[in-house]
Amino acid sequence: MRFSLLATAALAAPVMGEVYFKEQFNDEGWKDRWTVSTKWKSKSEMGEWKLTAGEWYGDEKDTGIKTSTDARFYGLSAAMSKPFNSSEKKDLVIQYSVKNEQKIDCGGAYIKLLGGGSSFDSAKFGGDTPYSVMFGPDICGSSNKRTHVIMRYKPKDENVLIRKDVPCESDVHSHLYTLVIRPDNTFEVFVDNKSVRSGSIEEEFDMLPEKEIKDPDVSKPDDWVDQREIEDPDHKKPEGYDDIPAEIPDPEAAKPDDWDDEEDGEWEPPMVDNPDWEPWEPKMIPNPDYKGPWEHPMIANPEYAPDDKLYAVCDEGCTHVGFELWQVKSGTLFDDIIVTDSLEEAQKFAEETFFKKKDGERAAYDEKEKKEAEARKAASADEDDDEDDEDEEDIFGDEF
């Protein structure tokens, strides 16, 4: 089941969430709603966004925007219909879909929530532009696959990354990414409406100092014994052991007949293992003075102070959404973006968009793969027939 019982019940009732931004990219008018970052990088470094339903789709009229040029930067932003302000103590929900048709090997596909209002410079929007939230998949290589969850923490003036990586999808199908930031200082991440991570912002993000620190006035006692074992004083090395060499000259070696001491130097036989020598190690016994590992006592951190506003990433108002990406191999399609204060509103939107086309899209992909496999099989058969014809020509050519 995709939804919790609470979410299902909420869907049955009228949805009252407020929508701050919604985009489906189903018309050419998207270019009027969005601004390309023309002043971020040089024109030769920037890739072009393409409006398309993709290479396979469930509905050709359901389009999104797709990166179309390899090894390029992509910058794009749009103003929200109204600002979201954390001071209203509402949930913040960011949701959108990502489809990596190119079997992505290295590239970002995350979205950003930004402030700035009327002073926001859309043309200059890029990697150095301050943001409030960065969320979504980022892939580079087989070992670096994560869903970024980064939140701005104003008191530290830092963008704080979640401590433990959140998984992401890396196949060629559309996937839905949802982030919920709640005013009780908790968060939750969904992929395809399945919860993949949730918890306390304080525990999952390094925004605050540790509650406890090692007592700086205490150190390990000089007489503390943490050596578990000692050498057995009654286990003695055999008498004369140190006089027995581990290696001896090879008794079977002989000086070569053509060895010239004046030219080659004094001849020395090669060394071999001494059969009369064997390694000796002292026997270890439990240390009677062992006290165990020493643990540094902890005290309350005087620099720690709780903050009930860790969630307030938009304390000055979030007014824009944007994509600021680098892709080695292009072909990522973005669609169905919503910013709201209601998870139920976002899930309702997902049912109307993402889940409505999901099965049809996968069926279209399977059909495409089937046709391509049949074409490869037919091409291979034609090559075999051509080779057989060439062999017959060679045979008859030899006879005549």
Side-chain angles (χ1 to χ4, degrees):
M1 293 293 290
R2 290 192 299 268
F3 301 127
S4 65
L5 292 177
L6 176 62
T8 304
L11 289 176
V15 177
M16 301 300 292
E18 188 162 6
V19 175
Y20 299 84
F21 183 81
K22 184 184 288 188
E23 177 63 79
Q24 294 179 254
F25 298 108
N26 285 340
D27 60 87
E28 288 290 347
W30 75 273
K31 294 180 179 179
D32 298 324
R33 299 187 293 271
W34 292 75
T35 302
V36 176
S37 302
T38 55
K39 296 181 180 180
W40 173 33
K41 301 283 184 179
S42 66
K43 188 175 181 180
S44 61
E45 295 178 280
M46 298 296 291
E48 182 180 351
W49 297 92
K50 179 182 178 182
L51 184 70
T52 176
E55 295 181 23
W56 58 91
Y57 43 80
D59 181 357
E60 64 179 346
K61 294 181 180 179
D62 191 338
T63 53
I65 55 169
K66 180 179 176 180
T67 58
S68 64
T69 313
D70 293 346
R72 292 291 188 274
F73 291 95
Y74 291 86
L76 192 69
S77 60
M80 294 163 57
S81 55
K82 66 172 296 185
F84 177 91
N85 199 302
S86 299
S87 64
E88 298 178 10
K89 295 186 177 180
K90 294 182 178 180
D91 289 358
L92 171 59
V93 184
I94 306 168
Q95 179 175 280
Y96 70 116
S97 69
V98 178
K99 181 185 180 189
N100 292 312
E101 293 188 334
Q102 75 277 46
K103 297 182 180 178
I104 191 168
D105 53 358
C106 189
Y110 41 81
I111 193 170
K112 288 184 173 181
L113 194 62
L114 311 109
S118 59
S119 63
F120 181 80
D121 193 337
S122 299
K124 292 183 178 180
F125 167 59
D128 294 331
T129 304
Y131 62 86
S132 298
V133 179
M134 175 172 152
F135 170 63
D138 190 14
I139 297 172
C140 199
S142 59
S143 60
N144 187 2
K145 299 179 180 181
R146 64 169 66 96
T147 299
H148 278 306
V149 185
I150 304 176
M151 294 191 286
R152 184 76 173 173
Y153 186 49
K154 187 177 178 181
K156 291 178 70 172
D157 193 27
E158 290 182 8
N159 300 321
V160 184
L161 175 68
I162 193 169
R163 287 175 179 170
K164 185 179 178 182
D165 283 351
V166 180
C168 71
E169 301 292 338
S170 58
D171 58 34
V172 298
H173 302 296
S174 290
H175 292 283
L176 187 73
Y177 290 86
T178 310
L179 171 65
V180 185
I181 301 174
R182 301 184 175 98
D184 62 356
N185 274 351
T186 63
F187 76 99
E188 191 163 9
V189 177
F190 297 81
V191 177
D192 296 341
N193 259 349
K194 296 178 182 177
S195 180
V196 295
R197 181 68 56 78
S198 62
S200 162
I201 295 176
E202 179 174 349
E203 294 175 0
E204 297 283 348
F205 295 80
D206 292 323
M207 292 183 176
L208 302 180
E210 297 292 336
K211 290 182 178 180
E212 292 186 324
I213 59 171
K214 294 178 180 179
D215 189 340
D217 297 327
V218 178
S219 59
K220 180 180 175 180
D222 294 336
D223 60 351
W224 187 274
V225 179
D226 54 9
Q227 186 177 353
R228 188 182 295 272
E229 293 182 322
I230 60 172
E231 295 181 9
D232 186 348
D234 297 327
H235 184 219
K236 304 293 185 181
K237 187 183 294 185
E239 186 175 350
Y241 178 84
D242 291 336
D243 298 328
I244 303 174
E247 292 184 330
I248 59 173
D250 187 348
E252 297 181 0
K255 180 179 179 179
D257 295 335
D258 59 351
W259 189 273
D260 188 322
D261 289 343
E262 291 185 1
E263 293 185 3
D264 302 326
E266 183 179 355
W267 180 80
E268 295 181 358
M271 304 298 286
V272 296
D273 291 338
N274 185 354
D276 295 328
W277 180 89
E278 59 182 25
W280 180 88
E281 292 183 357
K283 180 182 177 182
M284 303 301 289
I285 61 173
N287 187 348
D289 298 325
Y290 174 68
K291 295 183 178 181
W294 184 76
E295 295 184 3
H296 203 129
M298 307 295 286
I299 62 171
N301 185 355
E303 296 183 1
Y304 171 81
D307 186 348
D308 61 0
K309 294 183 178 180
L310 300 178
Y311 72 93
V313 292
C314 297
D315 59 332
E316 296 179 355
C318 289
T319 58
H320 288 74
V321 298
F323 295 101
E324 165 272 308
L325 313 170
W326 162 259
Q327 291 203 332
V328 174
K329 191 175 181 181
S330 63
T332 301
L333 193 150
F334 300 90
D335 201 4
D336 303 329
I337 308 169
I338 186 171
V339 179
T340 178
D341 58 16
S342 165
L343 177 59
E344 291 75 24
E345 184 77 54
Q347 290 174 329
K348 178 177 179 291
F349 182 59
E351 286 294 328
E352 296 170 348
T353 55
F354 175 78
F355 289 107
K356 185 178 180 180
K357 63 186 176 185
K358 176 174 171 288
D359 292 341
E361 178 189 294
R362 295 215 173 196
Y365 175 77
D366 292 341
E367 182 64 22
K368 180 184 79 75
E369 290 291 288
K370 179 181 177 182
K371 289 181 178 179
E372 290 179 354
E374 291 173 349
R376 288 192 296 269
K377 184 176 180 181
S380 178
D382 289 342
E383 289 178 3
D384 292 341
D385 289 344
D386 291 342
E387 290 176 0
D388 291 341
D389 291 343
E390 290 176 2
D391 291 341
E392 290 180 4
E393 289 177 5
D394 290 342
I395 292 171
F396 289 118
D398 291 340
E399 291 181 353
F400 296 100

